[in-house]
Amino acid sequence: MHADLSRITHRPERHYSAVVAQQGRVQLDADANEQTAIQLFQARTLAADLIGAHGGPHGATGFKIDLRGGPHELDDLVIGGGRYYVDGILCDATRPRPGTPVPTATAPKEDREDEEEADGDALTAPAASETWTYWDQPDGHRDPERPSDRLPSQFPYLVYLKVWERLVTAAEDPALREVALGAALPDTAARAKVVWQVLPLPASELGLDGDNPPADDIRTAFDRWAQQAAAPGCRLAARSERPDHADDDPCLVAPEARYRGPENQLYRVEVHEGGTAKDATFKWSRENGSPTFPVDELDGTWVQLASLANDDKLSLHVGDWVEFVDTGYASRGEAAPLLRVAEVDLPGRRVRLSDEPAPGVGRRPELHPFLRRWDHQEAGRKTVRRGGGHLPAQTESRAWGRPGRLRHGAVPVEEGGWLPLEDGVEVYFEAGGSYRTGDFWLIPARTATGGVEWPTDRARRPLLQHPSGIVVHHAPLAWVHGEQAVPDLRFAFRPLATGIQAADAAAQTQRSGGVGTLSTGAAGGIGPKQPRSQTTAEAEAQVDEQGVAD
């Protein structure tokens, strides 16, 4: 989550059930966020335990897949509306209906003609107002011009659901900002959003033979593929070590402190380009990647910004590395080259970048483009100290030993050794890792202790940790092996609640083994007292009598 956070404190292995506030204490964002995380964890665990790995409610099961042929090999998939749960996470495929505008009978003739033309287009449009499709799904952002985005041209293939969560701030959704607070104040709370995508998977990836293998074999093969796709492939450790140049730094920091930063920080180390160590790169931020700058207009390498931030610590400076982001870029999980800020025009709220953004990013205002600042620097450059007026204007960054080491603006991964970030914070990548774009680790650094918060063993050695995210979930939807053959792979469940059955006293007495104890039921009737529990066999038999899930 690229938010302005102090730290993340939710630890499921500690089995906390609630956060309890105490009177007269400081209110922290971490406590409130942990309460939300506990509730989500409990609710989703319960849903997964009851439903299983995936399933939808009977009569409202979403994500029914139908193949729709199109010209020039641009086939399409129709995604049925409804709800579906994946590992307890609710996914809703219901497409919102467009609103009805108020007619403007007194408007000029040309305006009325424009309205009539727009209404006509809406009426003649395909059934997109009823359902989503593969090409217009809300967070898919598929591009017909990209061959890799098209549906496979050969049958068979599997259609599956990919689910994860990402953070949305006011930079991406301006409706989150309370305009009554004014432009001088920062935004308030962010939002976590469930993102789902319907994607194809060639049959060759599953290792299945034949055009139409049994559904159970398809599900088993897909589960095996999904476990491998979701499993983390790398680990990192962090520590704080007193830098060699610490005695030369006049900062007001305790002499024995290992972390030499003047402020508390939440460092974020995030994989940029994935792959093995020889190909992977990473970027880092001392503010958890939260400094963002909404883009009003893009003109070549010049970017018009909505704001440059009122706080110098959170603003942009010449030499900063930024990532050009919009909703489509974030949802696709891409890794475009980072760009360096070459010039800053403060009065005009403009910055000039070292190059134009990657094609397809930042050109569509409806996708709310913005710049995200990262804090790593190339070796030999000066790192700007932000915020503290008593500090020297610049201190030398010695993070990356050789000049020109950055690759596409990001830092190449080096395994098996400690890499310095800044102010004594160091990270270690385990050898033999496999990296995915978006994998990240969070490292809280605290001036009170002069160190970083990271798990250690009894000998105080830092422990290797898998990434904190992104956690991705998968579910099979359909097996497509012909133009009219789309076998359904979804599961459905029925509600647990059933009607209260009326029964005479004799039948109730016989069922309870002859004991005639009477009790008042929920419906107010009188009958023998029922046992308080059932065996698994009895419960399953009762479900079978009343109807099983489809």
Side-chain angles (χ1 to χ4, degrees):
M1 292 185 177
H2 301 89
D4 188 9
L5 308 176
S6 57
R7 57 178 182 155
I8 301 292
T9 58
H10 180 226
R11 302 290 185 271
E13 67 275 7
R14 297 183 182 178
H15 307 295
Y16 294 142
S17 60
V19 175
V20 180
Q22 302 184 78
Q23 62 179 351
R25 300 326 196 257
V26 175
Q27 296 291 314
L28 298 177
D29 65 290
D31 294 334
N33 293 337
E34 183 175 352
Q35 178 61 54
T36 300
I38 289 173
Q39 290 177 305
L40 274 177
F41 178 78
Q42 291 176 341
R44 290 173 175 175
T45 301
L46 176 62
D49 288 343
L50 295 178
I51 298 170
H54 57 90
H58 180 72
T61 306
F63 296 93
K64 183 180 186 302
I65 300 300
D66 290 310
L67 178 64
R68 183 168 64 190
H72 309 296
E73 299 182 355
L74 288 182
D75 291 344
D76 202 357
L77 299 174
V78 179
I79 305 170
R83 301 183 299 281
Y84 208 69
Y85 292 84
V86 181
D87 292 333
I89 301 174
L90 172 62
C91 304
D92 195 341
T94 304
R95 183 161 188 164
R97 292 182 176 273
T100 302
V102 176
T104 53
T106 59
K109 180 179 179 180
E110 58 272 16
D111 293 345
R112 293 199 303 271
E113 291 176 351
D114 292 341
E115 290 179 3
E116 292 174 358
E117 182 179 354
D119 293 341
D121 293 341
L123 292 175
T124 58
S129 59
E130 300 293 335
T131 58
W132 297 107
T133 69
Y134 174 77
W135 291 111
D136 70 358
Q137 54 184 303
D139 291 300
H141 298 283
R142 303 289 97 183
D143 185 356
E145 299 298 326
R146 298 188 183 189
S148 59
D149 283 356
R150 299 176 183 177
L151 294 172
S153 58
Q154 294 183 346
F155 300 119
Y157 60 88
L158 183 138
V159 178
Y160 70 97
L161 189 62
K162 179 180 178 181
V163 183
W164 74 97
E165 280 187 308
R166 68 179 184 88
L167 197 79
V168 176
T169 66
E172 192 173 348
D173 185 359
L176 298 181
R177 182 181 295 276
E178 175 52 75
V179 296
L181 297 177
L185 293 179
D187 59 347
T188 54
R191 304 293 188 272
K193 178 182 179 179
V194 173
V195 177
W196 59 260
Q197 293 179 343
V198 172
L199 301 172
L201 181 66
S204 58
E205 297 285 338
L206 299 176
L208 294 173
D209 297 328
D211 290 343
N212 192 20
D216 289 343
D217 292 351
I218 298 175
R219 293 190 179 105
T220 300
F222 178 80
D223 290 344
R224 184 167 54 249
W225 175 88
Q227 290 177 2
Q228 295 176 352
C234 57
R235 294 193 296 180
L236 175 142
R239 71 178 184 183
S240 54
E241 290 291 312
R242 195 168 185 268
D244 295 335
H245 66 284
D247 294 333
D248 300 329
D249 192 344
C251 299
L252 301 179
V253 181
E256 70 278 5
R258 292 167 293 130
Y259 168 57
R260 305 295 296 180
E263 297 182 4
N264 300 317
Q265 304 287 1
L266 181 61
Y267 284 89
R268 181 188 188 94
V269 176
E270 181 175 317
V271 176
H272 188 63
E273 292 184 82
T276 59
K278 66 182 182 64
D279 299 319
T281 61
F282 73 96
K283 56 212 174 187
W284 61 263
S285 165
R286 65 178 72 92
E287 306 285 350
N288 190 30
S290 62
T292 56
F293 308 88
V295 172
D296 286 343
E297 185 180 356
L298 173 63
D299 182 10
T301 59
W302 279 99
V303 182
Q304 181 74 47
L305 302 175
S307 171
L308 273 170
N310 296 321
D311 187 346
D312 180 71
K313 185 170 73 79
L314 301 176
S315 189
L316 287 175
H317 297 79
V318 173
D320 286 340
W321 288 97
V322 295
E323 186 174 14
F324 217 114
V325 184
D326 61 21
T327 300
Y329 176 87
S331 296
R332 293 177 62 94
E334 296 178 322
L338 303 182
L339 305 173
R340 189 170 57 83
V341 176
E343 185 177 350
V344 178
D345 176 12
L346 289 177
R349 297 197 319 273
R350 300 190 306 160
V351 296
R352 183 172 62 84
L353 304 178
S354 56
D355 199 355
E356 291 190 27
V361 180
R363 273 78 173 181
R364 297 173 57 185
E366 69 273 14
L367 295 182
H368 304 292
F370 60 91
L371 300 181
R372 187 186 305 282
R373 193 196 78 198
W374 297 96
D375 294 321
H376 59 272
Q377 294 289 338
E378 197 165 10
R381 297 189 62 87
K382 299 291 185 177
T383 301
V384 177
R385 286 284 196 182
R386 306 173 188 272
H390 64 282
L391 300 175
Q394 296 177 331
T395 57
E396 185 175 356
S397 172
R398 58 184 197 91
W400 320 114
R402 300 185 301 273
R405 271 206 54 213
L406 299 186
R407 186 192 308 148
H408 299 151
V411 185
V413 168
E414 292 185 8
E415 297 179 330
W418 288 98
L419 303 176
L421 301 187
E422 67 173 5
D423 294 328
V425 180
E426 299 180 344
V427 295
Y428 178 99
F429 291 96
E430 183 184 26
S434 176
Y435 302 87
R436 296 177 301 194
T437 297
D439 284 347
F440 69 91
W441 297 262
L442 299 180
I443 309 168
R446 297 294 180 257
T447 59
T449 60
V452 300
E453 296 181 359
W454 192 265
T456 60
D457 63 6
R458 294 185 177 180
R460 305 182 69 85
R461 294 175 300 182
L463 299 178
L464 292 164
Q465 300 288 301
H466 288 299
S468 300
I470 304 171
V471 180
V472 181
H473 310 264
H474 305 86
L477 297 177
W479 179 258
V480 182
H481 63 88
E483 294 183 358
Q484 301 299 327
V486 186
D488 203 334
L489 298 176
R490 299 171 301 156
F491 288 127
F493 59 87
R494 293 185 182 274
L496 295 176
T498 59
I500 298 176
Q501 302 295 325
D504 58 88
Q508 293 285 11
T509 302
Q510 183 179 4
R511 183 180 301 176
S512 60
V515 179
T517 304
L518 300 181
S519 64
T520 303
I526 303 296
K529 186 175 181 179
Q530 294 298 304
R532 294 182 59 86
S533 64
Q534 293 176 299
T535 64
T536 301
E538 291 172 345
E540 291 177 347
Q542 182 177 353
V543 171
D544 290 339
E545 292 175 0
Q546 297 173 354
V548 296
D550 292 344

